[in-house]
Amino acid sequence: MPTITFTQSTGEAAEITVEEGTSLMRAAVTNGIEGIVGECGGQAMCATCHIYVRPEFAGQLPEVSDDEDEMLDCTTAERTHASRLGCQIKMSGPLANIVVDVPSDQV
Amino acid sequence: MATNMVERTFIIGAGQAGVQVADSLRAEGYAGEITILNDEAAFPYQRPPLSKDYLAADSAGTALPLRGPDFFASKDITLRPGAAVAVDTAARRVTLADGSTLGYTHLVFATGAANRQLPCPGASLPGVHALRTLDDAQNLQAALANAQRVVVIGAGFIGLEFAAAARSRELEVTVLEFAPRPMGRALSATSSEWFATRHRDEGIDLRLNEGVASIERAGNGLVVESTTGDRYPADLVLYGVGVAPRTELAEAAGLATDNGILVDSGLRTAADGVLAVGDCASFPNAHTGSRTRLESVQNATDHGRHAARSIMGHHTDYAETPWFWSTQGNLRLQIAGISHPDDLPVLLGDPASGKFSIALLRDGVLVAVESVNSAADHIAARKLVGRGIALDPATLTDPGFSLKALAKTSLAVSIPA
């Protein structure tokens, strides 16, 4: 099964195994990854599952929707070109073993 | 309070608000004991997805937890199964259903709300469902797999979210609503009518001005008879006719209630050390100037954070901007602020395009914005409402106007109302 590695701003990394189709937010919340909140339950409404996707995976990501784009303007930590909402990225083949960085602040 | 007494916060309810209080207390550096009482069998979970993603045909089939499995232990928070049956605010003691008692220095009611029962004959027949808990959602998910004809009673958020989920499974869906329009308590007429049209376009038989009279068993299924005398065969009936706050325990403890447990702007009741948060709390709302009780994730989490600061001794007036959302199939409704039927609605955008917002003005001041498939408007509205911004309707309807630009540039010019 594919894995996701969540790297904290402290450098600490956690690799978790997920089923295909699971969102990065659900995977993080279900596994208790510090710093991923998912307050709205995955509806792109709250911007508390903000992550930075490592550049080597950027080309494999789904397009940013208008909704996600607007929410990314509301993140607590700075938005960068690597910013995404974890709830909008579902695991699929090309994303296997993806590595993302968790911002220092989410709320 | 004696200085050598152990600080202990006892939270009744393990929903979004109760868990947030505990989380925020630790984040604020609270060193005392924290216990959350969970009266459901399930590990604390998020409710909003239950009427949306959870019921979709491609559902993951598992609840989304509020926190990870190690969260409570790692934060030294005791998650205790059980229910409270009595509170003695003078002795600062809670009695649980198993007979045990627990003392507290702070007590937080996060008891939530319960579904209103359907007031008609046949309401408790097998096949008639409500939707609030994970148990309810699991029952519905199983029932949906064997249903062909679904009748939904009540065209509120829950009813329409469920109707859209059932329709996406290509079931025959009828919605009965006694009021003249769907979501009538929450939405302006324009938005409400737009949703009615779109749900009908999706094939939902939305019947307005038509309530339920009775439900009967018929063969292997059910028949719902409406107030117009029409009869609708159904394999599954879902009702969503509102909720009532769970205040019984607080009332029995002598706390004042009036459609919710009465709290001040610090979310404190009149009893020393006792607070109430989330769906069960009636609080002075800075946005409406009156007491309100809100049922939303935003209200639950912001109350949770505020109550934690209150317990830590930081007293400020709660004034967070209320916001709400509903996703019905692929229709996204977002609301910022709280409107009143007398507010002046001003349309932004073109409903025919599938994306628009309604700005609601009261005495010329922006008090709420309803956005349909328009996240940019909604996000801007969260920043704009509640700031007393006066707007001329003519400004709003100018083709060059956008809420986003207004929020970004803070170009709001106060025009005397």
Side-chain angles (χ1 to χ4, degrees):
Chain A
M1 284 203 287
T3 65
I4 309 169
T5 300
F6 292 94
T7 306
Q8 301 289 339
S9 50
T10 57
E12 191 187 337
E15 183 186 81
I16 59 177
T17 304
V18 297
E19 288 185 30
E20 291 221 354
T22 304
S23 77
L24 267 61
M25 182 280 293
R26 176 178 278 268
V29 170
T30 305
N31 287 280
I33 299 295
E34 190 82 15
I36 304 285
V37 181
E39 206 160 87
C40 76
Q43 304 282 326
M45 298 276 179
C46 71
T48 63
C49 62
H50 179 203
I51 50 169
Y52 301 114
V53 177
R54 293 277 172 95
E56 56 268 38
F57 298 94
Q60 311 298 330
L61 296 174
E63 290 286 301
V64 178
S65 69
D66 289 350
D67 288 327
E68 183 181 353
D69 188 34
E70 294 301 333
M71 286 314 314
L72 283 169
D73 280 343
C74 303
T75 54
T76 299
E78 186 195 2
R79 176 180 186 175
T80 73
H81 61 279
S83 290
R84 294 298 302 258
L85 294 183
C87 68
Q88 300 302 300
I89 301 174
K90 291 191 173 172
M91 284 305 283
S92 62
L95 293 178
N97 313 318
I98 189 172
V99 181
V100 302
D101 294 295
V102 179
S104 52
D105 287 302
Q106 204 66 263
V107 181
Chain B
M1 188 186 316
T3 50
N4 61 352
M5 187 172 177
V6 175
E7 285 272 334
R8 180 188 291 141
T9 295
F10 190 71
I11 300 162
I12 305 176
Q16 201 117 25
V19 169
Q20 187 66 54
V21 174
D23 192 346
S24 294
L25 275 173
R26 286 291 183 243
E28 296 271 340
Y30 184 76
E33 295 176 20
I34 303 176
T35 296
I36 306 177
L37 191 64
N38 182 9
D39 70 355
E40 290 187 47
F43 187 81
Y45 60 91
Q46 304 199 22
R47 285 191 208 285
L50 296 181
S51 53
K52 307 175 185 82
D53 296 354
Y54 189 88
L55 293 176
D58 62 350
S59 165
T62 51
L64 185 63
L66 278 167
R67 299 292 187 277
D70 303 327
F71 171 82
F72 296 97
S74 72
K75 302 281 184 188
D76 197 16
I77 296 164
T78 303
L79 186 61
R80 180 173 176 149
V85 293
V87 172
D88 182 337
T89 59
R92 295 193 177 224
R93 198 170 53 220
V94 180
T95 304
L96 306 187
D98 64 8
S100 57
T101 59
L102 275 127
Y104 64 80
T105 49
H106 287 94
L107 175 69
V108 182
F109 282 89
T111 46
N115 289 333
R116 286 217 173 85
Q117 295 302 303
L118 197 57
C120 78
S124 51
L125 283 171
V128 180
H129 297 257
L131 176 50
R132 180 158 196 89
T133 65
L134 180 59
D135 273 351
D136 294 338
Q138 283 166 341
N139 289 338
L140 272 169
Q141 208 183 37
L144 276 169
N146 298 307
Q148 187 53 47
R149 295 165 304 182
V150 171
V151 172
V152 175
I153 298 167
F157 288 172
I158 291 285
L160 291 175
E161 287 171 6
F162 178 80
R167 188 65 199 132
S168 73
R169 291 169 172 246
E170 300 187 344
L171 306 184
E172 293 170 33
V173 181
T174 303
V175 179
L176 301 179
E177 169 58 55
F178 79 93
R181 53 192 184 84
M183 301 178 282
R185 281 190 313 138
L187 285 190
S188 67
T190 303
S191 300
S192 175
E193 280 153 19
W194 185 89
F195 273 91
T197 303
R198 291 300 289 258
H199 283 304
R200 284 172 171 150
D201 288 349
E202 289 296 323
I204 291 172
D205 185 11
L206 173 60
R207 309 192 72 89
L208 302 171
N209 299 302
E210 190 172 341
V212 61
S214 68
I215 306 171
E216 295 160 24
R217 202 191 293 270
N220 291 330
L222 298 164
V223 172
V224 179
E225 183 167 318
S226 80
T227 48
T228 59
D230 289 288
R231 293 168 65 83
Y232 303 93
D235 310 309
L236 188 169
V237 175
L238 181 282
Y239 66 92
V241 293
V243 303
R246 291 175 66 187
T247 57
E248 306 82 0
L249 187 64
E251 273 169 51
L255 296 173
T257 64
D258 179 11
N259 181 33
I261 301 166
L262 302 191
V263 293
D264 67 10
S265 62
L267 308 179
R268 297 165 296 188
T269 70
D272 208 18
V274 180
L275 298 88
V277 293
D279 287 16
C280 72
S282 167
F283 64 98
N285 192 319
H287 291 261
T288 60
S290 60
R291 281 192 169 279
T292 52
R293 191 180 65 73
L294 299 176
E295 300 146 17
S296 70
V297 167
Q298 173 276 321
N299 189 64
T301 52
D302 282 338
H303 269 190
R305 289 186 265 266
H306 197 83
R309 287 193 291 273
S310 203
I311 289 169
M312 296 297 285
H314 310 308
H315 293 303
T316 54
D317 290 342
Y318 179 83
E320 300 297 330
T321 299
W323 55 268
F324 312 84
W325 83 85
S326 174
T327 50
Q328 300 168 18
N330 56 8
L331 311 177
R332 287 165 64 89
L333 169 66
Q334 295 169 285
I335 304 171
I338 297 174
S339 65
H340 183 273
D342 294 339
D343 296 337
L344 175 69
V346 182
L347 176 64
L348 309 176
D350 178 11
S353 72
K355 298 172 66 157
F356 65 96
S357 292
I358 305 281
L360 294 135
L361 305 180
R362 190 177 309 158
D363 301 326
V365 171
L366 183 70
V367 291
V369 177
E370 300 163 359
S371 299
V372 177
N373 298 326
S374 301
D377 285 354
H378 173 68
I379 297 309
R382 282 195 212 168
K383 297 166 188 160
L384 292 167
V385 302
R387 291 177 50 201
I389 294 173
L391 289 168
D392 184 341
T395 308
L396 288 166
T397 52
D398 187 290
F401 177 82
S402 86
L403 288 168
K404 186 175 181 175
L406 177 63
K408 192 163 269 180
T409 58
S410 299
L411 278 180
V413 178
S414 285
I415 300 161

